[in-house]
Amino acid sequence: MRVLSVIALFAALLVPVSLHAQTGTDEIKGFWQKGDAVNWRASVQETSSAGVVYRDYPMAVDAVKQQPTNALPQPANLAANQQIPQQPPVHEPALSRDQIVARYGSPEQFTPIRAQKDAPLEMQGLFAALNSGDKELAWQYSVALARRNTEMQNVVAKATDYQLLAMEALGMRPQQEVNLEKETVNPNRLELKELMDKTRQQELERKIDLERALREQGAQAEAGVAALEAEQRRISEIPVDPEGKVKVLIFFDEKDSSLHDLTNVLRPLRDSFEKDPSVSFVGLTKRTYALPALKKMSAASSFPFPLLNGEALAQELRIQSYPTVLFLAVTSKETYRIEGVRASKDLAQVIHTMKGQQ
């Protein structure tokens, strides 16, 4: 029977490639599941092919799986619902005994006790001397290590005392009154006396500056509130014309050097209300001129509104300073005035308020 099995195996290996291509996948699996014969003298091993991985899907699948992320799409001949077999996770094999010994040494081998690498040099020297059996050198390192530990305790105590004195100088702890003549004073306090006084003075100045800044901020806030209240009162004093008609009378000194600034302020008003028939503007001079002189003055000053002689009207309206802008509610005959050169937006706000527009 064994000879017949071997003959059948060689016969299967001699079958042409085309015949193997026609062989079903199940038949190939069944062949390997029966085992393989490596040596014709040995019997077939049932589990000798347990680690063999069979491909029962097109080779294109492996090609796609080896592509990096965002690679080309899968071939069209691969069915969309075809499931790709999942490979079992790869686990690191356990180390053999020889590998463990090679990595960590023989358990029978003695390892000297050493200090950690970041330990003080005195401690490292002590362990090295103990391992070498040099008792005298080990003792010397022990003495050095004892001195180091004592010094470390002193330094830690001094650092702690420094922090407490710093907290006292900063006002974080109650200040201690010390009599240098009658009491035994902490040497660290004597050593740091000048620095403590300097820090205490700096902290006092810092607190004074902080309080001053807070007061200034409070004063600025109060001033802002007062200015806002004054602005609200001013707006409440502006009359509102029932029909929204406003006439703006601009009294100015034609010989004053501020005339140029005044005309620059008035030009935006002309552009803003040029198409509003309910708002009109007129310029009024401080002195009286003949008509030709008045026209000449208007051209020379580039005044944006028509000019009239305002000397008599200024006395009637009790104009005290120049320039003065008087706003007249045409229907109710109420007035509101602003003295001095103000921004265009302030003048425009008065006009809108008088027109009933907020």
Side-chain angles (χ1 to χ4, degrees), residues 13-30:
L13 294 176
L14 294 176
V15 176
V17 177
S18 60
L19 182 58
H20 283 290
Q22 297 175 359
T23 304
T25 304
D26 295 337
E27 295 180 3
I28 297 178
K29 283 187 176 181

Side-chain angles (χ1 to χ4, degrees), residues 155-171:
V155 172
V156 171
K158 188 171 185 177
T160 303
D161 202 12
Y162 267 50
Q163 295 178 51
L164 295 176
L165 293 175
M167 293 174 66
E168 180 181 332
L170 292 173

Side-chain angles (χ1 to χ4, degrees), residues 57-68 70-86:
Y57 51 88
M59 188 178 297
V61 176
D62 283 341
V64 173
K65 289 170 62 178
Q66 294 175 2
Q67 293 290 337
N70 300 328
L72 296 176
Q74 296 180 354
N77 59 354
L78 181 60
N81 59 353
Q82 188 171 359
Q83 298 295 330
I84 300 176
Q86 297 294 331

